[in-house]
Amino acid sequence: NILTDNTCVHCGKSMNEHGRIAVQVPGEQTRWHTVCPGDWIVNAPIRGPYPMRPHVFEAMYIPVTED
């Protein structure tokens, strides 16, 4: 595997610790995105599932608390 010793430019971890997810954008070919450890997988209504970095997720969403 060519990615065996590579380090991720986004999180600094070994590429062996990562996943991949197919992202389909309407009108475009399917693209494969790298999923870093700790990324959230967001399922958008039109776009479908895609990875989101933790700092972006935390800036966009607020936790739900149960009262």
Side-chain angles (χ1 to χ4, degrees):
N1 184 345
I2 196 165
L3 298 177
T4 301
D5 295 324
N6 287 349
T7 301
C8 178
V9 297
H10 300 290
C11 70
K13 295 186 179 187
S14 167
M15 290 304 292
N16 288 334
E17 299 178 48
H18 291 65
R20 309 249 310 146
I21 189 169
V23 176
Q24 179 63 52
V25 177
E28 296 183 17
Q29 291 184 338
T30 300
R31 294 189 218 164
W32 286 92
H33 288 257
T34 300
V35 181
C36 294
D39 280 359
W40 290 88
I41 303 298
V42 178
N43 193 15
I46 295 172
R47 185 176 172 180
Y50 64 96
M52 184 178 286
R53 306 289 183 240
H55 69 280
V56 176
F57 185 88
E58 292 168 9
M60 293 182 66
Y61 298 97
I62 56 172
V64 174
T65 58
E66 294 184 33
D67 294 328

